[in-house]
Amino acid sequence: MKTALLGSGQKLTTRKLTWMAILMALQIVLGKLSFGTSFVQVSPGFIATALLGYYFGPWWAGLAGILTDLLSNGLFGITGGGPFFLGFTLSVFVGGWLYGLFLYPEHHDWLRIILAVLFVTVIVNIGLNTLWVHMLYQTPWKVLFGIRLVKDAIVAPIQILILGLVLRAMGRLHLSLDR
Amino acid sequence: MNKLLIGRYIPGNSFVHRLDPRTKLLASFYYIGIIFLADNWQTYLVLLLFTLAAIAMSKIKLGFFWKGVRPLIWLILFTVLLQVFFTQGGHVYWHWGIFTLSQYGLINGTYIFVRFVLIIFMSTLLTLTTPPLALADAVEYILYPLKYVHFPVYEVALMLSIALRFVPTLMDETEKIMNAQRARGVDFGEGSLMQRIKSLVPLLIPLFVSSFNRADDLATAMEARGYRGGEGRSKFRILKWHAADRWVGLSFIVLTIILIVLR
């Protein structure tokens, strides 16, 4: 974690720059897909965010999240299923930052993956995003929390499983930034 | 995936189209901030008239703006219904268990609906009248002061341009991989949740492998052409402030004063 916080202020080489740009584009593309049943829908966009953290650490992943949020808004007019709002941009930053904190540099053990997804779920999805929705539309707290807790209790294990499968496959294929 | 429209920019030469992209981006941010000042029907009416005037000046049909609302209609209705049935106060029209239909609930529900629509209209106005690359330029200029705290502004701007350039390419790539896996028998839309999760891995891994190969090729090509970081590079598109941008700034100041007075 110390490496993640201090080591992620790495110098940006041309290769790192292009990898990060492509991952930002993937964040937008995957964010437009969704899978699951009619009851639970999961978008794989979070995998690109997690990969930014996995390869570049918390600060770059957070920054890339902000830029992707702005780009996505520029391309589609909506971001993350709602109109543009700076609060949600901050959520994207914190999400990328947390993934970087746990997964950088290229860690893919299950404990770190579980912790990363759980922290993002609790701090970003249940905490910050609920706050923004409440601020924007004054929806009652109790109702919002109730709905979000149920949804995230189902989605978080799915995200852990997908992220685990993807990151471990990346490790097996030696898809490393320093290859 | 193929139903998705990339970039919603509608070319034109209206007053709004001609505005500097920085003005439009900053104005959109500012608008979302001052919408919180509205708390009665007079303030919402002023905001509605202001937004409709901006739309009229863009010379784009109102129908395009409704298209921006349509993908979010269920989210809007859900939020409005929560507001209507869980806000208490004023005359109670109906009550059942935890649900209450009250005077304040109906008023708040209407305000939330109008707020939702106004925010979407304004952000749609930005995207319909500004090409994505101009928006990327605007973000770069807005980030420019951060250069003084050693923030890599030029690199970030280049990243934005590369990401924008590759969104359509990667969308095609995703579609191609999905079709290739379908031909091998993978079914993305059928089966239990577990089967659907498993079917995602044969899509994601080839997509990441081919994307990183593209990134490597691009880095090699950039270095072969002498790319050595962004500092000192000249610009193809140069942004300039005009009188119209100052008028827009002034109109937002006047709008803020009116909202504060009417609150």
Side-chain angles (χ1 to χ4, degrees):
Chain A
M1 214 166 271
K2 196 176 167 190
T3 320
L5 279 173
L6 301 175
S8 67
Q10 51 188 295
K11 196 182 176 305
L12 209 57
T13 60
T14 313
R15 189 158 180 265
K16 282 175 182 168
L17 188 145
T18 53
W19 271 53
M20 210 184 290
I22 292 284
L23 275 170
M24 281 163 57
L26 277 173
Q27 236 177 339
I28 297 173
V29 172
L30 294 176
K32 294 287 145 198
L33 293 175
S34 63
F35 70 95
T37 60
S38 53
F39 180 60
V40 186
Q41 289 279 314
V42 182
S43 165
F46 79 96
I47 301 168
T49 314
L51 280 177
L52 278 161
Y54 177 79
Y55 287 119
F56 300 100
W59 300 107
W60 283 113
L63 172 70
I66 293 178
L67 297 172
T68 309
D69 192 64
L70 291 170
L71 274 190
S72 197
N73 181 61
L75 285 174
F76 306 108
I78 47 174
T79 46
F84 182 75
F85 179 63
L86 274 177
F88 291 117
T89 311
L90 177 68
S91 291
V92 181
F93 172 83
V94 177
W97 194 87
L98 285 170
Y99 279 121
L101 190 68
F102 287 101
L103 303 176
Y104 181 80
E106 300 181 26
H107 288 298
H108 47 257
D109 51 293
W110 281 105
L111 180 67
R112 281 174 180 271
I113 292 167
I114 291 168
L115 284 175
V117 174
L118 286 183
F119 268 80
V120 171
T121 303
V122 173
I123 296 174
V124 179
N125 298 355
I126 299 175
L128 288 175
N129 287 352
T130 309
L131 174 71
W132 310 136
V133 174
H134 174 75
M135 269 178 70
L136 267 175
Y137 312 117
Q138 277 100 47
T139 314
W141 281 104
K142 273 186 192 170
V143 181
L144 273 180
F145 267 124
I147 296 166
R148 281 177 172 268
L149 273 175
V150 174
K151 186 198 146 235
D152 286 314
I154 301 167
V155 171
I158 298 172
Q159 289 188 330
I160 290 170
L161 189 62
I162 300 170
L163 193 59
L165 290 173
V166 170
L167 290 187
R168 294 177 84 79
M170 306 283 271
R172 274 198 305 275
L173 290 169
H174 305 292
L175 275 178
S176 168
L177 191 58
D178 303 313
R179 74 188 145 141
Chain B
M1 183 67 124
N2 47 12
K3 285 181 198 153
L4 208 65
L5 204 66
I6 305 167
R8 308 188 312 160
Y9 172 64
I10 297 174
N13 193 30
S14 70
F15 175 80
V16 186
H17 280 88
R18 287 194 306 269
L19 285 174
D20 190 295
R22 291 168 293 181
T23 307
K24 286 186 267 188
L25 188 65
L26 289 172
S28 299
F29 288 165
Y30 187 73
Y31 184 85
I32 294 169
I34 57 168
I35 209 163
F36 290 101
L37 292 174
D39 62 353
N40 55 33
W41 70 267
Q42 292 98 325
T43 43
Y44 275 107
L45 183 66
V46 169
L47 280 170
L48 182 67
L49 292 175
F50 184 87
T51 312
L52 290 176
I55 289 173
M57 278 192 273
S58 74
K59 293 182 182 166
I60 295 173
K61 284 180 190 160
L62 201 59
F64 282 102
F65 292 85
W66 276 116
K67 277 183 193 164
V69 176
R70 220 186 291 160
L72 296 171
I73 197 70
W74 291 111
L75 178 72
I76 297 172
L77 288 178
F78 179 68
T79 312
V80 168
L81 286 177
L82 282 181
Q83 201 66 42
V84 167
F85 288 110
F86 288 94
T87 306
Q88 293 177 355
H91 182 70
V92 175
Y93 301 106
W94 177 78
H95 180 78
W96 184 72
I98 54 168
F99 301 104
T100 306
L101 185 63
S102 69
Q103 186 188 359
Y104 285 2
L106 284 174
I107 292 170
N108 277 353
T110 313
Y111 286 167
I112 294 305
F113 179 79
V114 175
R115 185 187 290 181
F116 234 125
V117 170
L118 289 180
I119 293 175
I120 295 169
F121 273 12
M122 210 37 127
S123 77
T124 306
L125 183 67
L126 172 75
T127 54
L128 289 182
T129 59
T130 320
L133 265 177
L135 264 183
D137 288 340
V139 173
E140 181 190 347
Y141 275 87
I142 289 168
L143 292 176
Y144 196 76
L146 293 176
K147 193 171 84 87
Y148 299 104
V149 289
H150 304 293
F151 183 84
V153 175
Y154 302 107
E155 283 76 10
V156 164
L158 185 62
M159 261 193 267
L160 278 171
S161 305
I162 295 173
L164 266 177
R165 158 66 186 82
F166 277 92
V167 168
T169 312
L170 294 179
M171 276 188 165
D172 289 346
E173 186 83 19
T174 311
E175 188 78 42
K176 213 186 287 176
I177 295 169
M178 280 175 98
N179 287 336
Q181 299 295 29
R182 277 192 194 110
R184 291 182 178 92
V186 176
D187 199 338
F188 293 101
E190 292 291 319
S192 65
L193 194 60
M194 203 58 197
Q195 283 168 321
R196 291 185 197 197
I197 292 170
K198 280 184 182 164
S199 71
L200 205 63
V201 179
L203 162 71
L204 293 174
I205 299 301
L207 181 64
F208 289 135
V209 172
S210 78
S211 302
F212 292 150
N213 285 338
R214 262 179 216 281
D216 282 341
D217 292 346
L218 182 63
T220 309
M222 280 166 67
E223 283 178 349
R225 284 163 177 78
Y227 175 77
R228 286 173 286 109
E231 194 75 47
R233 282 168 69 88
S234 57
K235 285 193 164 297
F236 179 65
R237 296 175 300 274
I238 296 168
L239 300 179
K240 273 186 190 154
W241 300 104
H242 294 101
D245 299 299
R246 285 189 281 277
W247 282 111
V248 170
L250 188 68
S251 71
F252 270 87
I253 293 170
V254 172
L255 176 68
T256 312
I257 294 168
I258 294 173
L259 290 177
I260 291 169
V261 170
L262 289 177
R263 261 165 77 85

